[in-house]
Amino acid sequence: MPSKRTFFFLLALTMAFSLGFSPAYGAEYPTRPISLISVYPPGGFFEVPGRAFSAAAEKILGKPVVILNKPGASGMIGTVAGAQAPPDGYTLTMGCTTISCANEWELANGRKPLATREDFVLIGSYILSPTLISVPANSPWKTLNDLIKDCKAKPGHYAFSSGGLYGMSHVPAELLMRAAGIQCRHVPHKGGAPALSAVVGGHVDFTTQFCPSTIPLYRGNKVRVLAVQSDRRLKSIPEIPSVKELGVDAEYQAWIGIMAPKGTPDPIVKRLREVLATVVKDKTFIDTIENAGEVVHYMSPEELSRYWDEETKKVAKIWAQLAKEPAPKK
Amino acid sequence: MDVFTNLMGGFQTAFSLQNIYLCFIGCLWGSMVGVLPGIGPLAGIALLIPVTYGLEVTGAIIMLAGIYYGAMFGGSTTSILMNIPGESASIVTCLDGYQMTRKGRAGAALFIAAWGSWVGGTLAIMGIMFLAPLLANLAMKFGPSEMFALLLVAFFLLGSLGAGPFLNTMAMVILGLLLGTVGMDSLTGTLRFTFGIHDLYDGIGFVPVAMGVFGFGEILYSTAESEIRGVYKPRLRELLPNRAELRASWAPILRGSGIGFFIGLLPGSAHILSSFVSYITEKRLAKRPEEFGSGRIEGVAGPETANNAATGGAMIPFLALGIPTGPAIAVMMIALLIHGIRPGPLFISEQPQIFWALIASMYIGNLILVGLNLPLVGLFVSLLRIPFRGLFPIILLICLIGTYSVNLSNFELLVLLGSGVLGYFFRKLKYDLAPFILALIIGPTLEETFRQSLMRSGGSFSIFWERPITLGLIVFSLLLLGWNIYKAVRGNERAAENKAR
């Protein structure tokens, strides 16, 4: 029994062949379903953002936007597939901070990244989500200053968990350590959920994870959140201070956006950009995303491009240091 | 009692016409997903997620949960009938289940599997009902070092899994471990044995390998020696288990329920681990362990119960803390998120209607599954009447579609085909397949948790004896190792004595 998703995928595939010679672009775009590649598995980081976008874009475009999960290799399998897709506007790729994390790691280790920003045209981004610094509920640390003070007193004694080496939740912890001048042991896990359970169970001393997974645990008193890694407090947890007001320069916000393969015709790119700019004002779209604990924040292609540059610089600096000196011993 | 008023409220919600219908659809789809090799609960749930958008949230979660536990129900069918695991958690069921089929006891094996699944599933729901918050906290106490110690126990148990000589089994274990090292090392990002192929960055997935060596391998093997598998004509009386079989299965079913439920709490491939630990436990406790692998009902009853009880255990960290322990649960959680409900530690107290309706629906669902599966035993057994030349191409196709549907990866299809050829030679040379697959599944996690423990302790091995749970499990695993060596040595001496005679 094929599902809607596979059905549309097959449909898209058949039509891709039959319409291969179609001369007219632009005016009637889209004439068939659009595929949106998610580089994470079903249920992963892109599930809610992807579903919300596809539902809202479908309303505007009048054609289904079908999510294809192509997970693997820290998102690079899907990103490469997206970069190599025909640039006709019918295969889009979801992008996020993980691309610069993974690519800069490759560069820092003297390898060539598999797909870079140069392979894509940016449509824009619609989520900007900060990480939260959290500690076990029974931790003696009540504030970020407690954490920094103790870690300074015993360099290399305390440990933090991340969702994976050189991944999106590793960067914010490194930023924190560099900003505060502390050194801690790193225990990478396979994904955000295991990294958070390590904090809930008290197996590590802190972690920096995203809101959707952390906030419910905070509300249920299983973890304590010390700070938001942003320049302002969050609407959903206004009692938690931001790192900026605490005077620690460890801001970190991950973006999620849409990209098209390089060479996509301008009229189509323009249309997609308009669609994204409209989608981010859609009430249902905002509700779906905010209910899941993310923050809707639209960035135009130019803004995103600038943000991406800054982010790349930050990450590149950290990775360059990490690649030189492997994990600190005791 | 409070629990019972809540549960009654839950039953009221679950007994609405729509919810019963959704529960039925979930169970039916789950059973199909379970029966069809290659398609697992993850794919099954992910495929139906879009359908749940239009549903009200309680109905959505009832349906998805139905798929999840329904898949474990159906997983045994092809294991028993064709030696092809319908689900990776039913791998060990092949060992004795298929032998029972060859003895003409397919119906009995299927019947006991369904019965055990029901008992395990229902007991596990009771476990969730009374113990969820308590056990969720206990599960969190299992950090990397505890997981490592537990997997070490599992690893030493592997040695006694195979029916063949100890050294052959160990050779398969080591082969599985080696294959498990392929891919990007998750802790340092080092690429191992990837030869520049990015599809190998995430390692070799065990689902295509398991489907390959068991499914494709079995088909290739049977095609080559078709005379072994004559067409089998079951009689109705043979469909039901006889009294001796029923008597032999109740204890394994109860033990399987406990083993499955507690192992299910742990993250990772808990179902697979639970069924295999249950199998080994039964083998160890049996009066004549050497008969395992030749069609003992205990070898079907225990594991099939355990993997169903594990679904209950696995839902606990999700329901009580909002932490998914596996990908299938993560997808289920998304269905709640899409409807604006964020599961977390407060889920049970803030959303009691949903929680209790789900619990009630699981009782109903398990009954539906028995109702679906028992009458189907006869039908499934009569599938054996289909000549293999008609059946096999269909199974091959299902394996291919199932594997492709998960990650849309051509590479995994190649892995599937390659492992099929490997499986053929393993069978031909009489090497056991189960230790190979289980080592492939356990190996990477064993390594990961070992290194995570050492990263936590800053390289000091003291972490393995400073924590009580870890220490207990490590001591147990060393005892097991000693026992294995003792038995292997004594076995050799006996063999030498026999030769001398």
Side-chain angles (χ1 to χ4, degrees), chain A residues 230-276:
Chain A
S230 163
D231 55 348
R232 64 185 90 100
R233 295 187 178 213
L234 283 175
K235 261 189 287 175
S236 47
I237 39 169
E239 67 279 19
I240 305 294
S242 70
V243 285
K244 191 172 188 183
E245 59 186 279
L246 295 172
V248 182
D249 181 23
E251 284 171 36
Y252 181 76
Q253 304 197 65
W255 58 272
I256 298 178
I258 307 285
M259 313 182 296
K262 195 179 178 178
T264 307
D266 286 339
I268 291 181
V269 172
K270 190 164 162 276
R271 176 88 178 103
L272 287 169
R273 285 176 178 168
E274 284 165 10
V275 168
L276 182 64

Side-chain angles (χ1 to χ4, degrees), chain A residues 3 5 42 47 51 70 72-73 77 165-166 185 188-190 197 201 203 205 216-217 219 222 291 330, chain B residues 46-47 53 137 140-141 143 184 187-188 198 201-202 321 331 334 342 345 408 448 452 455-458 467:
Chain A
S3 78
R5 199 200 302 184
E47 188 75 31
R51 300 281 180 199
K70 276 194 165 286
I77 301 258
L165 190 92
Y166 73 77
R185 293 172 190 161
H189 285 67
K190 273 192 179 162
S197 353
H203 305 292
D205 302 292
L217 289 169
R219 293 243 160 86
K222 296 288 173 193
N291 272 330
K330 289 187 217 190
Chain B
L47 290 174
Y53 295 162
N137 289 333
M140 291 298 121
K141 290 273 166 263
M184 187 187 283
L187 302 180
T188 61
H198 356 127
Y201 280 19
D202 274 358
L321 291 175
V331 180
I334 292 295
R342 273 190 272 168
L408 308 180
E448 187 186 290
Q452 276 174 343
M455 282 170 133
R456 173 66 191 89
S457 68
R467 303 167 69 105

Side-chain angles (χ1 to χ4, degrees), chain B residues 95-215:
Chain B
L95 302 179
D96 280 85
Y98 181 60
Q99 293 306 320
M100 286 186 72
T101 298
R102 294 186 60 175
K103 287 183 182 169
R105 301 301 301 157
L110 287 172
F111 187 96
I112 292 287
W115 170 247
S117 295
W118 178 73
V119 174
T122 306
L123 287 177
I125 306 167
M126 291 183 184
I128 301 180
M129 212 165 70
F130 292 106
L131 303 171
L134 188 79
L135 287 177
N137 289 333
L138 184 74
M140 291 298 121
K141 290 273 166 263
F142 260 71
S145 66
E146 284 83 4
M147 267 313 276
F148 167 73
L150 184 77
L151 288 170
L152 201 64
V153 172
F155 182 70
F156 288 134
L157 284 174
L158 277 180
S160 47
L161 180 66
F166 180 70
L167 278 181
N168 287 9
T169 309
M170 284 325 280
M172 294 304 278
V173 167
I174 288 166
L175 191 64
L177 287 179
L178 285 178
L179 268 188
T181 59
V182 174
M184 187 187 283
D185 163 22
S186 63
L187 302 180
T188 61
T190 315
L191 297 173
R192 301 193 287 205
F193 310 113
T194 52
F195 305 103
I197 304 168
H198 356 127
D199 292 283
L200 277 176
Y201 280 19
D202 274 358
I204 299 175
F206 68 79
V207 176
V209 174
M211 289 309 138
V213 292
F214 277 98

Side-chain angles (χ1 to χ4, degrees), chain A:
Chain A
M1 196 168 113
S3 78
K4 214 171 171 182
R5 199 200 302 184
T6 26
F7 172 70
F8 281 132
F9 170 66
L10 292 174
L11 196 68
L13 209 67
T14 334
M15 293 182 120
F17 286 118
S18 56
L19 292 178
F21 301 103
S22 163
Y25 278 122
E28 317 105 44
Y29 171 85
T31 51
R32 52 191 163 95
I34 297 169
S35 315
L36 181 61
I37 295 179
S38 157
V39 301
Y40 290 107
F45 191 62
F46 279 172
E47 188 75 31
V48 175
R51 300 281 180 199
F53 175 79
S54 82
E58 219 169 287
K59 272 194 283 180
I60 302 171
L61 289 167
K63 285 279 182 273
V65 177
V66 186
I67 295 177
L68 295 181
N69 296 93
K70 276 194 165 286
S74 313
M76 289 323 288
I77 301 258
T79 311
V80 170
Q84 289 168 351
D88 53 7
Y90 290 99
T91 311
L92 307 175
T93 309
M94 290 182 73
C96 75
T97 305
T98 189
I99 301 176
S100 41
C101 294
N103 282 351
E104 291 310 312
W105 179 259
E106 295 288 291
L107 287 170
N109 284 287
R111 292 188 292 258
K112 201 176 154 287
L114 300 171
T116 66
R117 192 170 78 190
E118 312 311 317
D119 298 316
F120 292 99
V121 188
L122 303 185
I123 303 300
S125 71
Y126 55 96
I127 284 179
L128 198 58
S129 178
T131 41
L132 306 174
I133 302 169
S134 26
V135 298
N138 58 2
S139 163
W141 299 335
K142 309 275 183 214
T143 65
L144 189 60
N145 270 333
D146 295 348
L147 182 152
I148 294 174
K149 210 175 67 195
D150 279 2
C151 289
K152 262 195 183 144
K154 289 181 179 173
H157 174 78
Y158 296 101
F160 71 91
S161 60
S162 79
L165 190 92
Y166 73 77
M168 276 189 297
S169 66
H170 180 191
V171 182
E174 292 286 344
L175 284 171
L176 171 68
M177 293 196 295
R178 275 166 178 69
I182 54 178
Q183 268 204 328
C184 299
R185 293 172 190 161
H186 177 205
V187 186
H189 285 67
K190 273 192 179 162
L196 260 173
S197 353
V199 168
V200 174
H203 305 292
V204 293
D205 302 292
F206 71 95
T207 190
T208 50
Q209 296 297 329
F210 293 92
C211 306
S213 45
T214 311
I215 291 179
L217 289 169
Y218 163 67
R219 293 243 160 86
N221 203 23
K222 296 288 173 193
V223 299
R224 183 183 301 138
V225 179
L226 301 184
V228 184
Q229 292 189 283
S230 163
D231 55 348
R232 64 185 90 100
R233 295 187 178 213
L234 283 175
K235 261 189 287 175
S236 47
I237 39 169
E239 67 279 19
I240 305 294
S242 70
V243 285
K244 191 172 188 183
E245 59 186 279
L246 295 172
V248 182
D249 181 23
E251 284 171 36
Y252 181 76
Q253 304 197 65
W255 58 272
I256 298 178
I258 307 285
M259 313 182 296
K262 195 179 178 178
T264 307
D266 286 339
I268 291 181
V269 172
K270 190 164 162 276
R271 176 88 178 103
L272 287 169
R273 285 176 178 168
E274 284 165 10
V275 168
L276 182 64
T278 323
V279 160
V280 292
K281 294 186 196 110
D282 184 300
K283 179 85 177 50
T284 336
F285 172 80
I286 296 174
D287 284 350
T288 313
I289 290 189
E290 292 196 342
N291 272 330
E294 296 279 11
V295 184
V296 177
H297 180 104
Y298 172 70
M299 282 198 283
S300 67
E302 296 76 34
E303 287 169 324
L304 174 59
S305 175
R306 242 176 285 133
Y307 190 85
W308 197 329
D309 284 337
E310 273 174 42
E311 179 185 87
T312 307
K313 246 186 267 160
K314 260 198 224 175
V315 174
K317 210 171 121 196
I318 298 175
W319 287 171
Q321 290 171 353
L322 278 184
K324 255 185 255 147
E325 30 123 3
K329 291 271 158 65
K330 289 187 217 190

